[in-house]
């Protein structure tokens, strides 16, 4: 609980200072480009919210060093391997010139470091044939690096509206906390609470009014952190199904895979280019904004904030079954299939203006 409070107040205060004194740094840190198809904000605000998160994680490291905490080495290793993903994202937030390939490459370096220093390597997924391949060390390493890097990028993809990525992350981390408690892994539990506290401190200023954004640095840091914890809770606790991490991260993972399919196969476009057809963008246009008569500037932040809860609900639809059947692989596999079908059905319904009444 001490770590949670330190992380929360460190993030809260650091983010407040970034917002309060943005006139001193907005030339470098503000999101001036509002012309992108995936952008829906109307105010120029700082996009370096990830800096507040990183300051909170640094404060926890200092606290653990001072108190000589029992899991200092474990947390210190996680902290260090997260730095490449955070720094390259932060550099993009400031310069706006870092390509996606370089960001992914730096994140991959951090992922490999996590395998080497923390043992966060995926060795089984309980699928016949794939487990045989994962028994080969180099294939397992490549698959793990791809998975960690992919989830970090997935959080950057879903970070489109106030409170969206941050709340999805907190829901996911709460699931990890719960299962860690059930299996008695208090090191993982503590590290989950640390990130929850850090994100919550940022969330206060991000939702609903969007006074600051996570930015690439924050999104990559959160996604990387969650990816490593998701792997570690399975590796350290054999009773936890390998499909538990997949289910609690189902929304950002499937959003990414569906986006790649939609752009590459369906539209014949470069999957790396941004567009305005993500599920959160469609919900904003076809449900939230379409339903409102008032379209003035004063209501824009409210429409932005109203969009995120739809995706919080979607994410929870995958997380809740994972909380109940975290140790039963075949049920989680069925739930994963059901989630994918539900996602596609909901996406098509919203696109065609056939949104179910309960969703409205």
């Amino acid at each position: 609980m001490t770590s949670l409070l330190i992380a929360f107040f460190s993030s809260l205060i650091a983010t407040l200072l970034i917002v309060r004194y943005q006139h001193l740094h907005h030339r470098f840190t503000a999101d001036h480009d509002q012309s992108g198809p995936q952008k829906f904000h109307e105010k120029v605000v700082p996009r370096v919210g990830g800096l507040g998160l990183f300051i909170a994680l640094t404060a926890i490291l200092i606290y653990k060093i001072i108190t000589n905490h029992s899991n200092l080495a474990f947390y210190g290793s996680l902290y260090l391997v997260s730095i490449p993903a955070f720094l390259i994202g932060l550099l993009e937030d400031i310069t706006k010139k870092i390509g996606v390939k370089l960001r992914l490459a730096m994140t991959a370096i951090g992922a490999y470091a996590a395998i080497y220093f923390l043992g966060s390597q995926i060795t089984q997924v309980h699928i016949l044939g794939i487990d045989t391949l994962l028994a080969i060390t180099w294939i397992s390493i490549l698959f793990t690096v791809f998975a960690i890097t992919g989830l970090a990028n997935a959080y950057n993809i879903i970070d489109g509206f106030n409170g969206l990525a941050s709340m999805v992350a907190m829901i996911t981390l709460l699931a990890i906390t719960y299962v860690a408690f059930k299996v008695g892994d208090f090191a993982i539990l503590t590290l989950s609470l640390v990130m929850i506290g850090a994100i919550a401190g940022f969330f206060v200023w991000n939702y609903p009014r969007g006074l600051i954004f996570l930015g690439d640095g924050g999104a990559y840091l959160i996604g990387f952190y969650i990816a490593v914890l998701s792997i570690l809770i399975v590796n350290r606790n054999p009773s936890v199904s390998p499909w538990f991490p997949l289910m609690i991260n189902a929304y950002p993972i499937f959003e990414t895979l569906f986006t790649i399919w939609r752009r590459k196969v369906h539209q014949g476009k470069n999957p790396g280019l941004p567009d305005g057809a993500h599920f959160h963008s469609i919900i904003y246009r076809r449900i939230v904004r379409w339903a409102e008569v008032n379209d003035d500037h004063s209501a824009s932040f409210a429409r932005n904030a109203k969009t995120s809860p739809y995706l919080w609900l979607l994410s929870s639809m995958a997380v809740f079954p994972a909380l109940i059947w975290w140790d039963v692989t075949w049920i989680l596999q069925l739930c994963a299939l059901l989630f994918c079908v539900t996602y596609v059905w909901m996406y098509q319904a919203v696109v065609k203006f056939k949104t179910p009444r309960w969703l409205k």
Side-chain angles (χ1 to χ4, degrees):
M1 187 57 68
T2 301
S3 296
L4 171 67
L5 293 175
I6 291 174
F8 172 74
F9 285 108
S10 297
S11 176
L12 183 76
I13 295 171
T15 308
L16 170 61
L17 293 176
I18 293 172
V19 173
R20 174 63 180 82
Y21 295 103
Q22 61 181 292
H23 61 282
L24 299 177
H25 55 77
H26 75 279
R27 205 165 41 134
F28 308 102
T29 62
D31 192 2
H32 296 281
D33 181 13
Q34 301 174 349
S35 61
Q38 80 282 15
K39 297 187 177 184
F40 298 92
H41 58 282
E42 298 181 11
K43 280 184 62 177
V44 176
V45 299
R47 55 177 286 180
V48 289
L51 187 58
L53 302 183
F54 188 73
I55 290 173
L57 297 183
T58 304
I60 293 296
L61 180 63
I62 295 172
Y63 163 72
K64 290 184 180 296
I65 292 174
I66 293 174
T67 59
N68 194 25
H69 201 277
S70 57
N71 67 355
L72 171 59
F74 186 30
Y75 176 76
S77 298
L78 178 57
Y79 174 87
L80 291 174
V81 300
S82 301
I83 290 177
F86 165 70
L87 284 184
I88 197 64
L90 182 65
L91 193 59
E92 160 62 14
D93 295 329
I94 295 174
T95 67
K96 287 83 173 176
K97 296 179 180 179
I98 308 299
V100 64
K101 290 183 179 179
L102 180 56
R103 277 178 274 155
L104 293 178
M106 289 296 293
T107 306
I109 291 173
Y112 180 77
I115 295 172
Y116 185 82
F117 291 106
L118 290 166
S120 57
Q121 186 171 336
I122 301 173
T123 57
Q124 58 178 341
V125 292
H126 288 187
I127 297 178
L128 188 63
I130 295 182
D131 284 355
T132 304
L133 291 175
L134 291 177
I136 303 172
T137 303
W138 69 270
I139 292 180
S140 175
I141 291 174
L142 286 177
F143 183 77
T144 303
V145 169
F146 174 79
I148 295 175
T149 304
L151 188 62
N153 188 60
Y155 267 92
N156 194 38
I157 288 176
I158 68 170
D159 183 28
F161 287 89
N162 299 343
L164 176 50
S166 50
M167 178 56 76
V168 168
M170 285 192 285
I171 292 172
T172 302
L173 287 163
L174 283 171
I176 294 175
T177 302
Y178 171 77
V179 173
F181 174 77
K182 294 286 287 185
V183 299
D185 193 337
F186 293 100
I188 295 293
L189 183 150
T190 301
L191 297 190
S192 297
L193 290 177
V194 163
M195 183 54 91
I196 290 173
I199 296 173
F202 160 82
F203 188 82
V204 170
W205 308 112
N206 174 251
Y207 190 84
R209 299 195 67 93
L211 300 178
I212 188 170
F213 300 149
L214 267 180
D216 286 22
Y220 275 102
L221 177 60
I222 288 174
F224 184 95
Y225 195 100
I226 289 177
V228 174
L229 286 187
S230 297
I231 296 171
L232 287 175
I233 196 171
V234 175
N235 288 358
R236 291 161 57 95
N237 306 280
S239 60
V240 181
S241 169
W243 281 74
F244 168 73
L246 182 63
M247 281 300 295
I248 62 175
N249 293 294
Y251 164 54
I253 290 174
F254 194 74
E255 174 71 27
T256 303
L257 295 176
F258 187 75
T259 298
I260 294 173
W261 175 86
R262 174 172 51 77
R263 292 175 181 170
K264 185 69 176 177
V265 179
H266 185 64
Q267 299 174 340
K269 298 179 180 178
N270 184 347
L273 295 177
D275 64 15
H278 292 297
F279 199 8
H280 51 261
S281 306
I282 298 298
I283 287 177
Y284 175 82
R285 290 194 179 99
R286 299 295 172 90
I287 299 180
V288 178
R289 189 169 185 174
W290 181 79
E292 290 192 3
V293 176
N294 185 7
D295 197 40
D296 61 21
H297 175 78
S298 63
S300 64
F301 87 89
R303 291 195 301 269
N304 188 308
K306 286 178 181 179
T307 303
S308 296
Y310 286 93
L311 287 310
W312 300 346
L313 175 62
L314 178 65
S315 177
S316 299
M317 289 170 60
V319 172
F320 285 150
L323 291 176
I324 300 172
W325 297 292
W326 53 270
D327 56 345
V328 186
T329 295
W330 71 269
I331 295 182
L332 293 180
Q333 290 173 331
L334 289 177
C335 290
L337 177 61
L338 179 61
F339 176 83
C340 294
V341 172
T342 302
Y343 177 101
V344 174
W345 169 73
M346 290 175 63
Y347 187 95
Q348 291 181 334
V350 175
V351 166
K352 297 177 180 179
F353 287 103
K354 296 180 180 179
T355 307
R357 186 178 299 274
W358 62 269
L359 193 57
K360 296 179 181 180

